[in-house]
């Protein structure tokens, strides 16, 4: 008994070097195998980019980390995903709690059809936090972190749907930050935005990595090379190459990676 | 050249035929309403609304039937609303997509097509006899609630389904449970659509006659109901009763009551359309 205990302590301390770990992860949608055995370790306080052609499984893989695939019919999964050394697909895991720790920003800005304030306060309110001063303060600090505060501070009660696309996406990031996650997953967060809004979000991502571990799926190669520390290239459900971003973009090991990055396919 | 002309002619011909078909229903309705208005509009005054039924056509009014209709409408809403919405939420958000849920769905649609008199027989057996409610407002309301339940369920499901998936995603990703997502996001966002469906269902209920006759609602009730267990009449039954009388005065009464019943349904439908438009704007 004690031996087993010791081992798990050692094991988890090794795991702590990495925020997220995937071990031989496989995903099926009924008979279709979307992820074919992917293992990777993601470091804390880094930006990790997933790139690859459409349908390569990168978004599916990203959504495993906050269990958003659970709602997909016929979703089946094999392998392990650990966060801080804990198996998040364990039966005893509270999925709602997991999602407070692992925030997510989506491809299309998806604010709730409510006021700006209500949007940012939503995550806190559903946790049962009601103290007005506290909510006010957290909303303000979250909006400041995404540099939206000065633009909306007089309109907190206005509908979030009245904001521009770029502002909406920053609001969605603020909403995620408000519950103080440690990991933020971003699924092509700028693909629906204009270049100026995109630049603002990229700047924001760069700033946020001091406090958060960020995993971002992107179709934009320049974006991956600009903002990420590590890059993973997926193709047909497999992880082809995973390395320092610099290395992937200047001197990739695999021919397939090079072909994709130079625009020869995908 | 000739061919093009021919096609254009056919096009024109179909257009005119289409307009004629569209107008057919409307024109018939207009003729009917015109007829009724001529017969009944002069009969409507405050006394007609406030008088109790009587043997004499010119003294009788619709007060008891109108109050009965309002009682039935309110109780039906109270019964059908929570049950229908809960069932719709379950089917749309909770139930797994399998054989059982398919069977449930198909049969709810089937229920919507069952003739209303069958619901009357069901109400007579279950509510009036087994549950010993008698021919009361409550029994009538339970019966009508069953009758409109399928409509409420189907329209509520449609309204919930129309909420963009991105809203669900966002809510779940924030750590909300299913119930929190339903309560804080889906219900408020689909409120207008749900309301529209319910009002349309109720405007059908207010015009139902057959099932209420079967459970024993009376044509002549001396007093307006004052509790759910009282006997009652409703407007359509009152109309039916007056039409069967030989004296001309009662025909006038029937026409006047029809005008009021139509007014109620038109207003309810109007409110439904208003909410639908308001709700659609919110999401665009």
């Amino acid at each position: 008994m004690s031996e087993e205990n010791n081992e798990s302590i050692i094991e988890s301390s090794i795991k702590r070097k990495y925020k997220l770990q995937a071990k031989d992860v496989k995903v099926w949608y009924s008979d279709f195998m979307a992820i074919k055995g992917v293992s990777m370790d993601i470091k804390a306080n880094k930006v990790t980019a997933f790139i690859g052609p459409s349908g390569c499984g990168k978004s599916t893989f990203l959504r495993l980390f906050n269990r958003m695939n659970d709602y997909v019919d016929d979703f089946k999964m094999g392998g392990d995903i650990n966060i801080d050394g804990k198996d998040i697909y364990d039966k005893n895991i509270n999925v709602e709690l997991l999602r407070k720790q692992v925030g997510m920003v989506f491809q299309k800005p998806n604010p709730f059809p409510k006021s700006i304030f209500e949007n940012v306060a939503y995550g806190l309110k559903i946790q049962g936090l009601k103290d007005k001063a506290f909510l006010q303060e957290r909303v303000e600090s979250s909006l400041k972190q995404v540099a939206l505060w000065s633009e909306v501070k007089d309109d907190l009660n206005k509908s979030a749907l009245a904001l521009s696309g770029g502002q909406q996406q920053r609001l969605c990031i603020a909403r995620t930050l408000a519950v103080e996650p440690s990991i933020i997953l971003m699924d092509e967060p700028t693909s629906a935005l204009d270049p100026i809004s995109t630049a603002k979000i990229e700047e924001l991502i760069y700033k946020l990595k001091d406090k958060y571990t960020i995993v971002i799926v992107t179709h934009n190669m320049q974006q991956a090379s600009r903002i990420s520390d590590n890059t993973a290239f997926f193709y047909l459900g497999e992880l082809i190459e995973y390395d320092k971003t610099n290395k992937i973009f200047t001197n990739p090991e695999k021919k397939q990676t090079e072909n994709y990055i130079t625009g020869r396919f995908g | 050249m000739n061919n093009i002309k021919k096609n254009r002619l056919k096009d024109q011909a179909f257009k005119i035929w289409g307009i004629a078909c569209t107008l057919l229903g409307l024109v018939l309705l207009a003729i009917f309403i015109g007829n009724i208005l001529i017969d009944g509009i002069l009969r409507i005054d405050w006394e007609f609304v406030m008088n109790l039924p009587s043997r004499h056509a010119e003294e009788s009014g619709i007060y008891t039937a109108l109050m009965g209709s309002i009682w039935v409408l309110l109780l039906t809403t109270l019964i059908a609303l929570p049950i229908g919405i809960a069932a719709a939420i379950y089917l749309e958000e909770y139930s797994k997509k399998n054989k059982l849920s398919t069977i449930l769905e198909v049969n709810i649609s089937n229920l919507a097509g069952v003739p209303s008199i069958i619901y009357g027989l069901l109400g007579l057996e279950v509510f009036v006899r087994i549950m010993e409610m008698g021919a009361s407002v409550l029994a009538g309301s339970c019966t009508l609630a069953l009758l409109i339940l399928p409509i409420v369920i189907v329209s509520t499901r449609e309204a919930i389904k129309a909420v963009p998936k991105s809203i669900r995603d966002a809510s779940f990703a924030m750590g909300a449970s299913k119930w929190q997502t339903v309560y804080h996001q889906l219900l408020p966002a689909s409120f207008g659509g749900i309301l529209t469906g319910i009002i349309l269902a109720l405007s059908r209920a207010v015009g139902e006659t057959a099932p209420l006759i079967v459970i024993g609602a009376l044509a002549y009730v001396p007093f307006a109901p004052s509790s759910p267990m009282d006997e009652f009449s409703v407007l359509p039954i009152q109309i039916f009763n007056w039409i069967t009388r030989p004296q001309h005065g009662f025909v006038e009464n029937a026409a006047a009551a029809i005008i009021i019943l139509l007014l109620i349904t038109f207003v309810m439908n109007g409110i439904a359309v208003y909410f639908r438009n308001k709700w659609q704007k919110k999401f665009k």
Side-chain angles (χ1 to χ4, degrees), chain B:
Chain B
M1 230 14 210
N2 209 8
N3 231 345
I4 293 176
K5 253 186 191 164
K6 231 188 199 168
N7 278 336
R8 214 172 268 169
L9 220 78
K10 271 188 196 165
D11 203 34
Q12 279 299 318
F14 183 77
K15 198 172 144 193
I16 291 166
W17 173 243
I19 293 173
C21 290
T22 315
L23 285 179
L24 179 72
L26 286 177
V27 168
L28 287 177
L29 182 68
I31 293 172
F32 168 73
I33 291 179
N35 239 332
I36 293 289
L37 281 178
I38 292 168
D39 280 348
I41 192 77
L42 292 174
R43 182 69 184 82
I44 297 178
D45 51 25
W46 189 240
E47 266 169 21
F48 179 67
V49 176
M50 294 309 289
N51 273 0
L52 302 175
S54 152
R55 277 184 298 126
H56 308 288
E58 55 280 7
E59 278 170 26
S60 64
I62 56 167
Y63 183 70
T64 53
L66 185 65
M67 290 322 278
S69 276
I70 291 172
W71 265 96
V72 168
L73 211 57
L74 287 178
L75 275 182
T76 304
T77 313
L78 280 181
I79 298 163
L81 214 83
I83 299 177
I85 293 179
I89 291 172
Y90 169 76
L91 287 172
E92 202 51 47
E93 297 297 320
Y94 285 84
S95 83
K96 292 240 161 64
K97 301 279 168 284
N98 54 25
K99 274 221 177 90
L100 180 73
S101 67
T102 314
I103 292 172
L104 276 177
E105 274 169 38
V106 170
N107 278 305
I108 285 171
S109 305
N110 278 342
L111 278 181
V114 171
S116 58
I117 192 136
I118 309 286
Y119 281 100
L121 293 169
L122 176 75
L124 178 67
E125 193 56 38
V126 176
F127 301 124
V128 178
R129 293 193 182 140
I130 297 178
M131 295 173 83
E132 294 180 347
M133 292 177 189
S136 62
V137 176
L138 186 62
S141 302
C142 287
T143 308
L144 288 184
L146 272 187
L147 177 82
I148 65 167
L149 213 53
I151 312 174
V152 174
I153 294 174
V154 170
S155 60
T156 303
R157 288 188 65 186
E158 292 304 320
I160 293 176
K161 214 184 275 180
V163 178
K165 189 178 167 289
S166 60
I167 301 286
R168 277 183 192 79
D169 279 350
S171 181
F172 287 138
M174 292 301 300
S177 65
K178 232 170 204 178
W179 170 244
Q180 284 173 324
T181 302
V182 167
Y183 184 77
H184 292 291
Q185 302 297 341
L186 301 183
L187 284 183
S190 58
F191 179 71
I194 295 174
L195 206 62
T196 306
I198 287 164
I199 294 172
L200 290 179
L202 287 174
S203 75
R204 176 169 171 201
V206 79
E208 276 299 342
T209 325
L212 295 181
I213 290 180
V214 173
I215 69 155
L218 302 170
Y220 175 79
V221 188
F223 300 105
S226 58
S227 89
M229 298 317 287
D230 285 351
E231 290 181 325
F232 70 107
S233 182
V234 290
L235 277 174
I237 294 181
Q238 183 70 70
I239 292 166
F240 177 69
N241 172 264
W242 276 337
I243 284 173
T244 53
R245 303 277 188 95
Q247 299 95 322
H248 181 74
F250 284 111
V251 176
E252 243 173 51
N253 282 0
I258 287 171
I259 294 171
I260 288 175
L261 183 60
L262 279 177
L263 209 67
I264 294 174
T265 44
F266 285 171
V267 167
M268 285 172 76
N269 289 357
I271 294 170
V273 170
Y274 170 77
F275 275 113
R276 186 165 54 209
N277 291 346
K278 204 176 152 187
W279 172 69
Q280 273 170 348
K281 256 184 226 147
K282 203 175 157 189
F283 269 92
K284 272 173 189 164

Side-chain angles (χ1 to χ4, degrees), chain A residues 99 110 112 114 122 126 175, chain B residues 166 171-172 174 180 184:
Chain A
R99 294 201 182 117
N110 56 355
F112 301 123
K114 293 174 187 282
Y122 184 67
I126 58 174
R175 176 175 73 187
Chain B
S166 60
S171 181
F172 287 138
M174 292 301 300
Q180 284 173 324
H184 292 291

Side-chain angles (χ1 to χ4, degrees), chain A residues 114 119 138 178 251:
Chain A
K114 293 174 187 282
N119 262 278
R138 196 58 87 69
N251 186 22

